[in-house]
């Protein structure tokens, strides 16, 4: 199964600042700006897919009042399945690259049937790829028809991973 990963932006200071204002400062009104330029294209490209957003720790979402990844991609109008959960509060920005490779220990997937689904895994920032890889491995266990990955921004060249 060939899995393609599309990133919309490089993780520049501008994107980092906007994401911090949205996520860290809870500026909920910014939720639609991240995909604005690409929205029509993405709706066509991923028509019929089910979104699986990268999870935050439940208490973090509750404190913030929303899941930032879900809100960024909700404007695509696709079905959303929040079947992957983070079992422990782990802030990846505070981890080394080696520690990030073990993020799979903190992710679990619900007992869900994805066998007829085209799945689009989404996240806000692709840094080392550890979260995306862990999510792909979990989703593959559910035998979906297809898996694709869409990230809002990336810190590395995805073609060299």
């Amino acid at each position: 199964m060939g899995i393609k990963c599309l990133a919309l932006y490089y993780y520049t200071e501008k994107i980092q600042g906007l994401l911090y204002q949205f996520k860290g400062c809870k500026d909920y009104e910014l939720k639609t700006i991240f995909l604005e330029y690409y929205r029509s294209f993405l709706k066509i490209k991923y028509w019929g897919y089910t979104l699986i957003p990268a999870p935050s720790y439940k208490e973090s979402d509750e404190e913030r009042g929303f899941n930032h990844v879900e809100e960024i991609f909700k404007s695509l109008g696709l079905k959303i399945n929040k079947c992957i959960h983070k079992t422990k509060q782990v802030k990846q920005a505070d981890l080394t690259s080696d520690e990030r490779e073990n993020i799979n220990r903190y992710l679990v997937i619900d007992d869900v049937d994805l066998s007829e689904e085209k799945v689009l895994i989404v996240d806000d920032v692709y840094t080392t790829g550890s979260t995306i890889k862990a999510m792909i491995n979990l989703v593959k266990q559910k035998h979906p028809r297809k898996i694709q990955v869409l990230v809002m921004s990336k810190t590395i060249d995805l073609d060299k991973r």
Side-chain angles (χ1 to χ4, degrees):
M1 177 183 306
I3 298 174
K4 294 184 179 163
C5 183
L6 174 63
L8 301 178
Y9 307 100
Y10 281 103
Y11 190 59
T12 62
E13 284 185 37
K14 181 78 165 174
I15 295 293
Q16 183 180 17
L18 286 169
L19 195 55
Y20 175 75
Q21 185 174 344
F22 172 56
K23 181 180 171 183
C25 300
K26 304 172 195 159
D27 191 348
Y28 186 73
E29 296 304 314
L30 290 176
K31 68 182 184 215
T32 59
I33 68 160
F34 300 102
L35 301 186
E36 187 63 36
Y37 183 75
Y38 299 101
R39 186 170 294 112
S40 295
F41 165 74
L42 295 172
K43 281 183 170 187
I44 293 167
K45 180 172 179 60
Y46 297 113
W47 182 84
Y49 278 75
T50 297
L51 286 178
I52 298 182
S56 296
Y57 192 57
K58 183 180 176 187
E59 281 75 11
S60 298
D61 287 347
E62 289 172 355
E63 190 273 326
R64 186 182 308 114
F66 58 92
N67 175 291
H68 64 290
V69 174
E70 182 181 345
E71 293 302 325
I72 288 171
F73 292 96
K74 192 184 279 186
S75 68
L76 296 179
L78 300 174
K79 181 172 111 178
I80 298 173
N81 188 330
K82 298 185 284 185
C83 60
I84 297 180
H85 308 281
K86 200 178 253 189
T87 60
K88 183 178 179 185
Q89 173 65 300
V90 180
K91 189 170 181 182
Q92 291 202 60
D94 297 337
L95 302 177
T96 67
S97 290
D98 288 340
E99 291 169 328
R100 286 181 184 207
E101 290 298 320
N102 293 317
I103 196 68
N104 60 323
R105 293 187 295 179
Y106 307 113
L107 298 180
V108 296
I109 192 165
D110 293 339
D111 185 17
V112 62
D113 181 12
L114 298 175
S115 60
E116 296 300 316
E117 301 283 337
K118 294 188 300 181
V119 170
L120 181 61
I121 294 171
V122 294
D123 203 354
D124 57 346
V125 182
Y126 185 109
T127 306
T128 64
S130 298
T131 300
I132 294 297
K133 290 174 196 165
M135 290 180 69
I136 289 169
N137 288 334
L138 289 171
V139 169
K140 276 184 175 180
Q141 296 171 17
K142 304 301 179 178
H143 309 288
R145 278 190 3 217
K146 190 172 195 175
I147 301 173
Q148 297 294 306
V149 176
L150 174 62
V151 293
M152 195 260 302
S153 60
K154 65 179 180 174
T155 61
I156 62 170
D157 188 349
L158 296 176
D159 296 327
K160 296 181 180 175
R161 59 188 156 101

